[in-house]
Amino acid sequence: MDSQKNNGIFRRDGINYLVPFILITTLFFLWGFARAILDVLNKHFQNELSISITQSAWIQVTTYLGYFLMAIPAGLFINRYGYRRGVVFGLLLFALGALAFVPAESGGFYAFVACLFVIGCGLTFLETAANPYSTELGSPETASSRLNLSQSFNGMGSLFATFAVGQFLFNKVGNVTTPYLILGVLVLGIAVVFSKVKLPEISETLEKPELSENNSGLSNLRELFAHHPLFVLGLFSLLAYEVAEISINSYFINFVTGQGWMNDSVASIVLTVALAFFMVGRFGGSWIMRRISGERMLLICAVGTVCCMILVLLNLGKLSMVALIANYLFEAIMFPTIFSLALSGLGHLTKSASSLLMMTPVGGCGFLLMGYVADQTNLIMPFIIPLIGYLLILFYALRLQKRP
């Protein structure tokens, strides 16, 4: 019995899902890399094109707008054709957007922005498929731990992107098309691999079996909002997290250089260190949540992020810098933990719920608001926005403590 329990993280109904889990986890590295490049591109385009923080924020806005517009279509596609085809289609869109950077070079800033929109659409399909799929590849009791483990490789991709691409661009080694050309070829190759392999299509446990054949994706969405208030609160908490996390990442280099603490090249290295804390938080959180509940872990980390943001807003010099980096450690488990807790017990509604949750990266558009506040006031005031986001997550975590 104990042995079965220990191995349950990758086992379900007597089946070992370790190999599919490994294959799916490679995707987390890819979109971590793709999203983290934006934090470097943001400052790079400010330097090269002499644009403001608010103008450069359109990099994030268009990419994450792809998530908002494509999340429900992606969910409907995956409901109809399954996880594997959703992954392959997402990889093809991702590769198309990345390879389009080569001809876009002659079109300027807005041509690059259009390519990023296509990449955002591709990432939406990948995340809509891979996040819930990871929670299904093993025991339901360890779903949060398993998704945190997969998301740890998301952090690894982010870390590699900010360091490698940051040094590449800020040290004038080459232009912006080179990393995207390499990425596009790599993603296209991975799409070919996923088109050939067979991934098990797991049928969710249905609370209402008679609805599995007749319910459309749209009726599922109506049912979620009508009968699952904790899911709705989880949805808005995940949106709040995305606003906070993406805005901080995008603003980081602008903030530390604007404070006069370092130059762009050093700032990209420090951001890499912060993302290393983030990755450690994901790996550590995955291990800890095999021993304590995801609900309790989320509460502890929400308190930590609120305290860190208060210290940053107090403008305490080096202490504020330490708090900003420490925030990455506390926020690390939030996305996968909220995601898995929000999906808990939804049965036949899981894929539809996942598509709604994958609309939340549109919160990355919150950086436009941070940029505007920074341009109109000072470099400290924009941190009020992530503070509000973390307070909402704290409320959700407290509400979960009362769940039976």
Side-chain angles (χ1 to χ4, degrees):
M1 179 67 72
D2 290 339
S3 175
Q4 180 67 28
K5 182 178 179 180
N6 292 335
N7 292 331
I9 188 168
F10 301 121
R11 289 185 179 274
R12 183 171 180 164
D13 300 327
I15 302 172
N16 191 326
Y17 289 116
L18 179 60
V19 173
F21 179 82
I22 292 171
L23 286 172
I24 286 294
T25 297
T26 62
L27 302 177
F28 287 76
F29 180 92
L30 283 179
W31 78 65
F33 187 94
R35 287 171 62 162
I37 287 180
L38 302 180
D39 306 326
V40 175
L41 281 185
N42 188 275
K43 193 65 168 71
H44 171 72
F45 282 134
Q46 289 173 36
N47 295 344
E48 296 298 313
L49 304 177
S50 299
I51 58 178
S52 69
I53 298 175
T54 305
Q55 289 173 302
S56 70
W58 285 100
I59 294 170
Q60 273 79 11
V61 170
T62 51
T63 303
Y64 295 116
L65 188 62
Y67 278 84
F68 182 75
L69 295 176
M70 292 303 294
I72 290 179
L76 295 174
F77 182 97
I78 292 164
N79 261 325
R80 183 175 179 85
Y81 298 108
Y83 289 117
R84 185 179 67 85
R85 288 179 181 174
V87 166
V88 172
F89 188 71
L91 287 169
L92 291 175
L93 280 177
F94 186 172
L96 175 64
L99 294 173
F101 260 70
V102 177
E105 188 173 11
S106 60
F109 178 70
Y110 291 105
F112 288 132
V113 164
C115 296
L116 290 170
F117 176 76
V118 176
I119 290 174
C121 292
L123 296 180
T124 307
F125 275 84
L126 291 186
E127 296 198 47
T128 304
N131 279 301
Y133 194 55
S134 178
T135 67
E136 297 290 337
L137 293 173
S139 167
E141 289 77 16
T142 53
S144 291
S145 175
R146 194 164 44 254
L147 187 53
N148 268 281
L149 181 58
S150 287
Q151 287 277 355
S152 300
F153 290 86
N154 173 281
M156 192 178 294
S158 300
L159 188 154
F160 183 70
T162 54
F163 179 76
V165 179
Q167 297 307 298
F168 182 82
L169 294 179
F170 293 138
N171 291 322
K172 312 294 184 181
V173 177
N175 62 29
V176 72
T177 62
T178 304
Y180 276 97
L181 176 61
I182 296 170
L183 185 60
V185 172
L186 175 63
V187 169
L188 198 58
I190 294 173
V192 172
V193 171
F194 270 89
S195 69
K196 302 296 183 183
V197 300
K198 291 191 69 174
L199 292 176
E201 196 67 34
I202 300 172
S203 299
E204 293 90 348
T205 301
L206 302 180
E207 294 173 1
K208 300 178 182 179
E210 69 278 5
L211 296 179
S212 62
E213 296 296 328
N214 300 322
N215 261 25
S216 68
L218 293 178
S219 63
N220 284 348
L221 297 180
R222 286 194 294 270
E223 184 179 346
L224 282 167
F225 280 98
H227 303 296
H228 296 275
L230 261 184
F231 165 78
V232 176
L233 184 55
L235 173 66
F236 284 105
S237 297
L238 201 59
L239 176 62
Y241 167 78
E242 293 284 18
V243 170
E245 188 252 343
I246 297 171
S247 297
I248 290 172
N249 284 347
S250 302
Y251 188 59
F252 188 97
I253 295 177
N254 286 289
F255 176 66
V256 297
T257 55
Q259 292 287 82
W261 294 338
M262 60 197 74
N263 61 30
D264 292 343
S265 180
V266 174
S268 73
I269 295 175
V270 174
L271 178 56
T272 302
V273 172
L275 290 170
F277 273 83
F278 187 85
M279 186 179 68
V280 168
R282 283 266 168 92
F283 277 114
S286 175
W287 180 79
I288 292 171
M289 278 189 285
R290 296 180 69 178
R291 291 157 177 80
I292 70 171
S293 69
E295 291 88 346
R296 179 62 59 85
M297 189 71 175
L298 182 62
L299 177 62
I300 294 168
C301 290
V303 171
T305 55
V306 168
C307 291
C308 287
M309 285 300 99
I310 290 172
L311 288 174
V312 173
L313 283 163
L314 289 174
N315 196 15
L316 301 174
K318 290 183 179 179
L319 180 59
S320 291
M321 180 69 187
V322 171
L324 181 60
I325 295 176
N327 185 71
Y328 282 79
L329 186 64
F330 286 113
E331 74 175 5
I333 61 94
M334 286 185 169
F335 180 90
T337 304
I338 296 171
F339 194 97
S340 59
L341 290 174
L343 292 180
S344 178
L346 293 182
H348 69 286
L349 301 173
T350 298
K351 288 178 181 176
S352 297
S354 174
S355 69
L356 281 175
L357 293 174
M358 285 320 307
M359 295 177 73
T360 59
V362 74
C365 297
F367 176 56
L368 183 64
L369 180 57
M370 279 193 83
Y372 178 79
V373 173
D375 287 337
Q376 299 301 314
T377 58
N378 57 53
L379 293 171
I380 300 295
M381 286 299 292
F383 285 99
I384 289 177
I385 296 165
L387 174 61
I388 293 170
Y390 292 132
L391 284 169
L392 179 56
I393 295 167
L394 178 58
F395 175 76
Y396 176 59
L398 289 169
R399 178 67 181 80
L400 286 173
Q401 306 307 305
K402 301 176 182 178
R403 183 166 67 176

